[in-house]
Amino acid sequence: MKLRICIAIALMCVLPLSAETPRGTVPRATADRYPAHATQSGTAIGVTLLTPDQVHNAFASDVNRCCLVVEIALYPAKDSTVGVSLNDFVLRVTGTDVAAKPSGAKVLAAKLQKKAVSPHDRDITISPTTNTGYESGGYDPVTGQRRSGGVYSSAGVGVGVGGSGPSPASSDVDRNTMELELGEKSLPEGAASAPVAGYLYFSLPKTKDKKVTHQLEYMVNGNKVVLTLP
Amino acid sequence: MKSMKTAALCLGFICFFLGNAIGQSATSEVPQTGEVPQTGSAAASQNTQPAPDVKPATKPDTETEEHHHRLHVRLGTIGVGAGHSRFSGPFYSPFWYGFYPYSLSYSPFFYDPFFYSPSYAPGYFGGFAYDVDKGEVKLSGAPKTAEVFLDGAYAGTAGELKNMWLDPGAYDLSVSTPGAMPFHQRIYVLSGKSLKIATKLPQPQSQSEFQPKPQPTTTEEKP
């Protein structure tokens, strides 16, 4: 019983805290834990480009349809703060002029919202039926004639016409939910005195060429940091 | 329960045999309808061929009598069914004022410290049933008796909520069971999509580890 009381008390303490939904993700222990990392002006930065599978597992929204997702963690120097702004980040295809700044959650949610199904679209269901039986014979109840028995059969087709259901993630509520998810998981902006992490979404064309790499450019205190993403 | 099912099956078979008997008696009346031409009905008179009962006099009357009693068996649609229904009624506890869980009032004679949630999650009473504009959440990995909370409100046990359909939106999902650390995760439900949540309820090393840790990422799958 004491254990149950402890759990109840712990949940009572935690649930109000959970109402304040934290933004971003949990940063790894150090910037070194990220595939690409650097330190500039005392601020360490760790970056990783999520694979489509990782994006699929990390988001309920189908973010793979619109953009590349980069997880970024910033580690300010001790007793100092760092200003985090999405405008400080640029993702560039290595060796080209193709580059993009992070997209906002609202814009992405609008992109990801699927078109609703037209009310004129209908689902048609066809149900064929067949029956086979055997009659032993006797007298026709109407004409009174004697008739022999035999196998009889019948066939028919049932057709049902109805409206089709809405396509997934097409309503305005879905759009708001996607916007909420993308916003809550994105890198929090503002002054940070402790490590922060989150996702940035870049609307760049996807390529299946594995040789293509990307570079993340980050401006910190007027200095440019370039990280090559594997 | 078993005896009721057996009784229902027996009832189904009785109905089946009764139906056959009635069907046979009905078809045995067919030759009697053949007697109608004998009385000179219009239908028989319009028929160019002689009616079977209006036979030449050379036929013996005994044969005609035999036709009257011939059974006419017709195979048609045969349906056999058995059903069973049971209404247990709302559970009534003498320690509660009213019917649980329709009454939220606490009894002064009964207090469960674990029942701390003042409200129930949306869908608790109506059920987390499928609807076209809802999204599915699949829970796995938690014991059947683990308690599930949505946005802090009690939703049911993990055994009951393996599949639940929720309105689109963001929810704070919590799963707790005695002797394990509670699981907490923020989930995002989209209509027509399925979300798979693998709950992990690790055993605490000590009481101080009862503080839940945030989950880094969600484990989600879509159909």
Side-chain angles (χ1 to χ4, degrees), chain A residues 124-131 154-161:
Chain A
I124 298 176
T125 305
I126 298 174
S127 304
T129 59
T130 57
N131 293 307
S154 64
V157 177
V159 179
V161 180

Side-chain angles (χ1 to χ4, degrees), chain B:
Chain B
M1 181 70 78
K2 191 178 180 181
S3 62
M4 294 187 74
K5 286 181 180 175
T6 310
L9 282 173
C10 291
L11 187 63
F13 281 112
I14 289 167
C15 290
F16 170 65
F17 287 117
L18 277 177
N20 268 358
I22 292 168
Q24 286 181 0
S25 63
T27 52
S28 64
E29 290 172 0
V30 172
Q32 291 175 6
T33 59
E35 288 180 354
V36 175
Q38 265 187 335
T39 59
S41 73
S45 62
Q46 288 172 1
N47 202 341
T48 53
Q49 293 183 356
D53 285 342
V54 188
K55 292 186 174 85
T58 54
K59 293 271 184 179
D61 287 345
T62 53
E63 192 178 334
T64 311
E65 282 287 321
E66 189 182 340
H67 286 172
H68 277 281
H69 298 289
R70 179 177 284 177
L71 292 177
H72 182 200
V73 180
R74 181 179 293 175
L75 291 177
T77 304
I78 298 174
V80 179
H84 169 71
S85 66
R86 185 176 69 90
F87 176 66
S88 62
F91 173 69
Y92 178 74
S93 170
F95 300 108
W96 287 74
Y97 295 137
F99 288 89
Y100 178 83
Y102 305 108
S103 171
L104 298 179
S105 58
Y106 273 97
S107 166
F109 306 109
F110 180 75
Y111 174 68
D112 185 354
F114 197 60
F115 183 82
Y116 66 90
S117 177
S119 61
Y120 292 94
Y124 177 79
F125 294 110
F128 300 95
Y130 167 79
D131 202 352
V132 288
D133 56 352
K134 290 186 176 181
E136 185 182 19
V137 177
K138 295 180 179 178
L139 278 181
S140 63
K144 288 183 179 179
T145 56
E147 295 180 316
V148 181
F149 298 85
L150 284 172
D151 290 339
Y154 179 70
T157 61
E160 300 166 347
L161 301 175
K162 281 184 179 176
N163 296 300
M164 55 181 166
W165 292 83
L166 298 172
D167 288 326
Y171 299 88
D172 287 316
L173 173 74
S174 298
V175 181
S176 66
T177 186
M181 295 172 65
F183 171 86
H184 174 75
Q185 186 168 320
R186 187 158 175 83
I187 59 172
Y188 303 87
V189 179
L190 299 175
S191 64
K193 293 210 168 189
S194 183
L195 193 67
K196 190 173 182 180
I197 308 293
T199 57
K200 297 168 186 173
L201 300 171
Q203 300 294 323
Q205 299 294 327
S206 63
Q207 290 289 347
S208 61
E209 286 194 13
F210 262 110
Q211 297 299 324
K213 295 174 182 174
Q215 299 297 318
T217 56
T218 60
T219 304
E220 296 159 336
E221 285 185 0
K222 291 177 274 298

Side-chain angles (χ1 to χ4, degrees), chain A:
Chain A
M1 185 60 78
K2 285 183 178 178
L3 198 58
R4 290 164 67 93
I5 294 172
C6 288
I7 294 172
I9 293 171
L11 278 174
M12 289 174 74
C13 296
V14 167
L15 290 174
L17 293 175
S18 65
E20 298 175 17
T21 307
R23 289 175 64 97
T25 60
V26 180
R28 300 178 189 178
T30 59
D32 303 344
R33 300 290 182 92
Y34 289 87
H37 52 87
T39 302
Q40 179 72 41
S41 305
T43 301
I45 178 173
V47 181
T48 181
L49 178 66
L50 271 64
T51 63
D53 283 343
Q54 288 173 325
V55 173
H56 180 78
N57 290 330
F59 292 90
S61 310
D62 194 6
V63 189
N64 277 321
R65 285 201 301 128
C66 69
C67 43
L68 299 173
V69 181
V70 176
E71 184 180 1
I72 296 177
L74 294 172
Y75 301 83
K78 195 176 180 181
D79 300 330
S80 68
T81 59
V82 59
V84 182
S85 172
L86 297 187
N87 287 325
D88 295 337
F89 296 92
V90 173
L91 188 69
R92 187 182 301 278
V93 179
T94 306
T96 67
D97 292 333
V98 180
K101 285 197 170 188
S103 301
K106 194 170 186 176
V107 175
L108 292 179
K111 274 187 179 181
L112 292 173
Q113 184 184 18
K114 292 181 180 175
K115 288 182 181 176
V117 176
S118 167
H120 300 293
D121 293 344
R122 298 283 183 187
D123 279 343
I124 298 176
T125 305
I126 298 174
S127 304
T129 59
T130 57
N131 293 307
T132 304
Y134 176 76
E135 189 177 15
S136 65
Y139 293 98
D140 192 301
V142 177
T143 63
Q145 292 179 347
R146 180 180 172 77
R147 64 185 184 191
S148 60
V151 177
Y152 63 87
S153 62
S154 64
V157 177
V159 179
V161 180
S164 60
S167 59
S170 62
S171 66
D172 289 340
V173 183
D174 291 317
R175 178 173 169 169
N176 292 337
T177 304
M178 288 187 285
E179 182 181 341
L180 190 66
E181 181 188 24
L182 296 173
E184 287 182 355
K185 292 182 178 178
S186 67
L187 182 69
E189 291 185 282
S193 57
V196 290
Y199 298 116
L200 293 182
Y201 317 102
F202 295 94
S203 298
L204 278 178
K206 290 188 178 179
T207 174
K208 291 184 179 179
D209 189 358
K210 292 184 178 179
K211 293 179 182 176
V212 174
T213 59
H214 296 85
Q215 286 181 331
L216 182 77
E217 299 172 4
Y218 173 51
M219 296 293 293
V220 53
N221 297 330
N223 299 314
K224 188 175 181 181
V225 179
V226 178
L227 293 164
T228 301
L229 304 179

